[in-house]
Amino acid sequence: MRGKARFFLDTADPNEWDKWLPTGIFTGVTTNPLLLERAQQPCTVPHLHTLCHRALQHVDEIMVQTWAGGSEDAIGAMYQRGMELSAPSRDRIVIKVPTTFEGTQVASHLIQSGCRVCLTVGYDPPKQALLATTVGAEYLAPYHGRLADQWQSPVRATQACIQAHQVVQGLKGHTRILVASLRSTDTLVELAAAGLVTFTFSPDVAAQLFDTPATEVAARDFEAAALRMSNDLWAKEEG
């Protein structure tokens, strides 16, 4: 049982999904148009449906981001595309929407239509936690690493994410603070110890979780001992 924790793998590369999702530590996958571009995956509704189908063979949910596509009616276009993206499985496909004036309206319409929503591009987490909670978004995604760069202070970025979590608690809301743009497991540990339970991180950070040389050495020692004893016992039984 994971308890309340939710870890997401932040990549649109199916090869990375094949490597990391079998570990069993991930509740879902997060994507956005930039991640699609990096993974050379088309940003189209039909292709995103294909990716969603593939990811949902291994995890409980996947997040995909809606976009306006240059429409003069940005709100209407983003809403319509969000509905189309989530159509195959509204209970498992979460629609990401930027936390802008227009985006919050889109989020509101999608939520009223039965969609799960993540307000994203969180650059002022405590203030945007007010918006996410009152509009009823399931997630708010503050960008920890980018905030640390912007403010030149990882400590301030961490404090902002913690404060956003406190804002939701203060409002008696249910929005999860989905901390994104994580650069290290040290930050992940610090935020988890402060009570945050929802994170999305890259395959590089996932690799850091398993980078404990002493554990690897001990595991090899155990295997070697088991092999020695198995061979010795086998030899005695044969004799």
Side-chain angles (χ1 to χ4, degrees), residues 26-118:
F26 293 101
T27 297
V29 167
T30 54
T31 70
N32 61 45
L34 282 175
L35 290 176
L36 290 168
E37 184 176 41
R38 290 172 193 164
Q40 294 296 292
Q41 299 290 331
C43 188
T44 66
V45 172
H47 188 69
L48 284 167
H49 283 170
T50 299
L51 289 178
C52 287
H53 177 76
R54 180 167 177 175
L56 293 175
Q57 303 302 305
H58 305 284
V59 290
D60 296 335
E61 56 190 271
I62 182 171
M63 298 192 191
V64 293
Q65 188 162 323
T66 188
W67 66 95
S71 172
E72 292 185 4
D73 179 14
I75 293 173
M78 292 175 74
Y79 167 77
Q80 184 59 40
R81 192 163 283 115
M83 293 296 291
E84 292 173 2
L85 287 168
S86 62
S89 184
R90 292 229 159 84
D91 60 337
R92 301 180 71 190
I93 299 174
V94 181
I95 303 303
K96 297 174 75 175
V97 187
T99 315
T100 61
F101 179 73
E102 294 80 11
T104 302
Q105 294 177 67
V106 173
S108 178
H109 295 322
L110 288 171
I111 292 165
Q112 291 174 29
S113 297
C115 291
R116 299 173 65 191
V117 167
C118 172

Side-chain angles (χ1 to χ4, degrees), residues 12 15 22 39 42-43 92 99 103 136 144 146 148 161 173 195 209 213 217 236:
N15 292 323
C43 188
R92 301 180 71 190
T99 315
H144 183 279
R146 296 189 186 182
C161 292
L209 287 173
V217 171
K236 290 176 182 178

Side-chain angles (χ1 to χ4, degrees), residues 4 162 165 169 177 188-199:
K4 294 183 178 180
I162 293 172
H165 177 63
Q169 291 181 317
I177 303 302
L188 179 57
V189 168
E190 184 177 2
L191 289 166
L196 282 80
V197 296
T198 313
F199 305 93

Side-chain angles (χ1 to χ4, degrees), residues 199-221:
F199 305 93
T200 184
F201 46 86
S202 69
D204 287 343
V205 174
Q208 292 178 34
L209 287 173
F210 294 93
D211 184 17
T212 308
T215 298
E216 295 292 337
V217 171
R220 288 195 294 270
D221 289 344

Side-chain angles (χ1 to χ4, degrees), residues 142-223:
Y143 286 5
H144 183 279
R146 296 189 186 182
L147 286 171
D149 293 342
Q150 176 179 293
W151 293 333
Q152 297 185 336
S153 173
V155 172
R156 184 179 172 190
T158 296
Q159 291 172 341
C161 292
I162 293 172
Q163 190 176 13
H165 177 63
Q166 293 170 338
V167 167
V168 174
Q169 291 181 317
L171 292 174
K172 310 300 182 186
H174 300 286
T175 299
R176 284 175 173 261
I177 303 302
L178 171 66
V179 185
S181 185
L182 287 164
R183 308 271 175 79
S184 74
T185 53
D186 288 343
T187 302
L188 179 57
V189 168
E190 184 177 2
L191 289 166
L196 282 80
V197 296
T198 313
F199 305 93
T200 184
F201 46 86
S202 69
D204 287 343
V205 174
Q208 292 178 34
L209 287 173
F210 294 93
D211 184 17
T212 308
T215 298
E216 295 292 337
V217 171
R220 288 195 294 270
D221 289 344
F222 288 143
E223 282 295 321

